[in-house]
Amino acid sequence: MSENESLWLVEASKGDVDAFARIVEQYQKPVFNLCYRMLGNVEDAEDAAQEAFLRAFKSIRRYDPRRPFGTWLLSIASHYCIDQLRKKKAKGFSLDDEENSWRAPEASSPKPETVAIQREHQAEVQDLLTILNPLDRATIVLRYWYDYSYEEIAKTLNLSISAVKSRLHRARKALAEQWKAKESQEKILNVERARHESPAF
Amino acid sequence: MSHQPFEQWIFTVGELSSAEREKLNQHLEHCQHCRSLASAMADVENMFGDVAMIAPPAGFVERWTSRAKQANMLALEKRYQWQSLIMLVAVSNGIVFFLAGMFFILNRLFSSPADLLITILNRIFAYYASLQAVQLVTWTLLKVLFDMIPPIGWGVLLGSGMTGLIFWLILVRKLVYSPRRVRI
C-alpha cells in the first residue's frame, strides 16, 4: 500500500468521507469484479460493492494495519455477497437476466467481434459459477481472478486452509463435470442438427 | 477400472510431486474418462484466464460518496434523536422526583411542622460536627507530617511533583493534538 493510501486511511479513520472516496477509487475494480462474479449481474454487483465500501468505511477503526488492506476489503465484500446469495436462494435467484448481464470493458476490447467473444465467455463463466454454492464460488473467484494463495483465501473467508483446499477441489471437480456435460450435450445437438439438415447441392 | 487417485490429482491445485505428475500423465494416456475430465478442467481454467476483471459503471465513486454522506447524516440524525429522547426521559424523571419530594416535604410540614424543623436542625448540626472532626484530623496529620519531614525533603517532594505535572501536561498535549498513526 502506498504512502498516500496510508494517509487517506488515517483521514478516513477520523470520519473523512472524501479521503475514503480516494480509497474507493483505487479499489473499485477488484471489489466490483468480485461482487459481479459472486452475484452475476451489474445492478446487484454495484449495490453490493457500494455496501461493502460503506461497511469498510464504518468499521475502518477495527482494521488491523498488519493485514493487507485489499484482502480486508475483499473479505467484507465476499461475506456480504455470500449473505446476499443465501438470502436470495429462497426467492429463486436467477442469473439469466439478459438486460443486466455483462457489459463490455471499454478499453481492452475495441473490436466488435472481440467484444462478442468476450461476452460469450463471460456468460459461460457466470453459468458455470452459478452451479457452485456461495462459499465455493468465493473460493474459486479469489483463486482464479485474484491469484490468492490458500492462506490468503482462508484469511479472507475465515476458513481453515484444509477447508479451502477441500472446497477448491470440490468446486473444480463440479466445474469440470459441468463443462464436460455441456460439451457432450452440444455434440448431441450438433449431430441431431446435421441429421435434420437437407443435403447440400 | 479405478480412477483413483488420478481423479483426485486432476483437481489438486499445484501440489503434485514430479513422480505423481508422471503417473498421472501415464494414466491419462490410456484412460478416456480421466482424460476428458482433465481436458474439461483445462478448458475451464483457460476460460477463467481469458475473461478480464470487470470495472464498475462510470460514476461509481461519486455515487458512493453521496451514499456515504447520506448515511453519515442519517446516523447523526439518529444520534440526535436518541440524545433528545434520553434528555426528555431524564428531565421528566427529575420533574417527577422533584414534585414527589416537594409533596412529601410539604405534607410533613403541614401535618407536623415542629418535627420537621427539629429534624432539619439536627441534620445541620450533625453535618457541622462531622466537618469539624474532619478539620481536626487534617490539621493533626499535617502537623505530624511537617514535624517528620525536614525542609530539604519538602523541596525534593515539591520538585518531583512539579516535574510529574509538567510531564503529564506534555503527554496530554501530545495525545490531544497529534493525529493517530495507522501503519499499513
Side-chain angles (χ1 to χ4, degrees):
Chain A
M1 175 172 262
S2 71
E3 205 172 306
N4 272 346
E5 285 179 11
S6 307
L7 284 174
W8 295 334
L9 274 183
V10 173
E11 291 304 313
S13 68
K14 291 177 193 164
D16 187 344
V17 173
D18 295 318
F20 197 81
R22 287 166 182 254
I23 300 276
V24 175
E25 202 169 353
Q26 295 284 317
Y27 288 92
Q28 55 177 321
K29 195 171 176 181
V31 171
F32 180 83
N33 181 67
L34 174 79
C35 296
Y36 179 76
R37 297 293 163 211
M38 290 295 291
L39 301 173
N41 70 70
V42 172
E43 278 181 6
D44 286 348
E46 160 104 13
D47 263 359
Q50 294 264 345
E51 185 59 33
F53 278 119
L54 206 58
R55 286 180 180 201
F57 177 57
K58 281 180 184 168
S59 50
I60 190 84
R61 280 167 187 274
R62 287 204 296 271
Y63 164 62
D64 178 4
R66 286 169 300 181
R67 197 176 167 186
F69 186 71
T71 314
W72 184 67
L73 258 182
L74 289 180
S75 172
I76 294 174
S78 45
H79 281 112
Y80 181 76
C81 291
I82 289 167
D83 285 348
Q84 290 303 105
L85 284 172
R86 283 176 181 159
K87 277 180 197 165
K88 282 186 177 177
K89 198 180 171 186
K91 294 178 188 170
F93 180 52
S94 166
L95 295 174
D96 300 330
D97 189 352
E98 186 59 33
E99 203 179 324
N100 288 331
S101 68
W102 177 77
R103 293 171 309 100
E106 297 84 18
S108 63
S109 52
K111 293 178 185 173
E113 59 268 32
T114 316
V115 172
I117 291 166
Q118 281 189 346
R119 183 182 286 272
E120 197 184 320
H121 279 176
Q122 291 283 6
E124 277 175 338
V125 165
Q126 287 310 131
D127 278 351
L128 274 176
L129 290 175
T130 319
I131 65 160
L132 303 175
N133 71 46
L135 210 46
D136 288 357
R137 199 182 301 181
T139 315
I140 284 287
V141 171
L142 290 172
R143 177 78 194 179
Y144 285 99
W145 274 272
Y146 299 86
D147 213 17
Y148 271 20
S149 63
Y150 292 134
E151 288 80 7
E152 285 170 321
I153 298 173
K155 274 183 190 165
T156 308
L157 299 176
N158 291 342
L159 296 170
S160 64
I161 291 175
S162 58
V164 170
K165 282 183 183 175
S166 102
R167 280 187 180 275
L168 261 179
H169 184 273
R170 190 173 62 194
R172 281 161 57 85
K173 191 177 178 189
L175 290 171
E177 279 170 353
Q178 174 73 10
W179 185 254
K180 201 176 144 187
K182 195 189 159 208
E183 275 193 328
S184 7
Q185 208 175 354
E186 273 173 8
K187 268 182 198 165
I188 294 167
L189 278 174
N190 285 340
V191 169
E192 288 285 315
R193 214 174 286 143
R195 204 178 285 169
H196 289 99
E197 270 173 8
S198 53
F201 291 101
Chain B
M1 184 183 183
S2 169
H3 301 288
Q4 292 303 345
F6 308 108
E7 207 178 284
Q8 175 86 9
W9 289 352
I10 291 169
F11 303 112
T12 304
V13 192
E15 282 189 347
L16 294 186
S17 65
S18 53
E20 284 169 340
R21 186 148 293 282
E22 181 79 15
K23 274 185 190 172
L24 176 63
N25 287 338
Q26 280 172 5
H27 176 78
L28 290 179
E29 275 174 23
H30 54 80
C31 176
Q32 171 63 29
H33 170 80
C34 289
R35 199 165 51 240
S36 65
L37 270 182
S39 153
M41 193 63 246
D43 285 349
V44 170
E45 284 188 324
N46 286 339
M47 203 164 56
F48 283 173
D50 280 348
V51 292
M53 272 209 189
I54 296 177
F60 180 85
V61 181
E62 289 74 21
R63 286 194 295 283
W64 181 83
T65 309
S66 70
R67 192 169 167 169
K69 283 182 177 167
Q70 204 178 351
N72 262 3
M73 289 289 284
L74 283 175
L76 212 62
E77 268 177 33
K78 211 172 175 181
R79 204 165 71 192
Y80 285 152
Q81 280 173 359
W82 270 108
Q83 281 174 349
S84 310
L85 188 72
I86 290 167
M87 203 67 173
L88 186 73
V89 170
V91 169
S92 318
N93 280 347
I95 290 171
V96 167
F97 279 117
F98 177 74
L99 289 176
M102 287 302 287
F103 175 77
F104 179 72
I105 290 166
L106 289 174
N107 193 33
R108 277 187 71 182
L109 188 65
F110 288 126
S111 59
S112 169
D115 283 353
L116 183 71
L117 279 173
I118 289 165
T119 312
I120 291 169
L121 283 172
N122 275 342
R123 286 270 163 86
I124 289 169
F125 284 126
Y127 288 138
Y128 181 69
S130 311
L131 280 174
Q132 269 190 324
V134 170
Q135 191 190 15
L136 191 67
V137 169
T138 314
W139 280 123
T140 315
L141 276 173
L142 280 175
K143 202 169 177 305
V144 169
L145 270 173
F146 269 110
D147 291 344
M148 274 173 70
I149 301 168
I152 197 156
W154 282 108
V156 170
L157 271 178
L158 274 172
S160 4
M162 286 301 285
T163 317
L165 184 69
I166 288 164
F167 273 120
W168 181 74
L169 284 171
I170 290 168
L171 192 70
V172 167
R173 193 182 156 76
K174 205 165 184 178
L175 284 174
V176 170
Y177 294 109
S178 308
R180 197 165 67 96
R181 284 180 193 153
V182 176
R183 281 187 295 117
I184 311 296

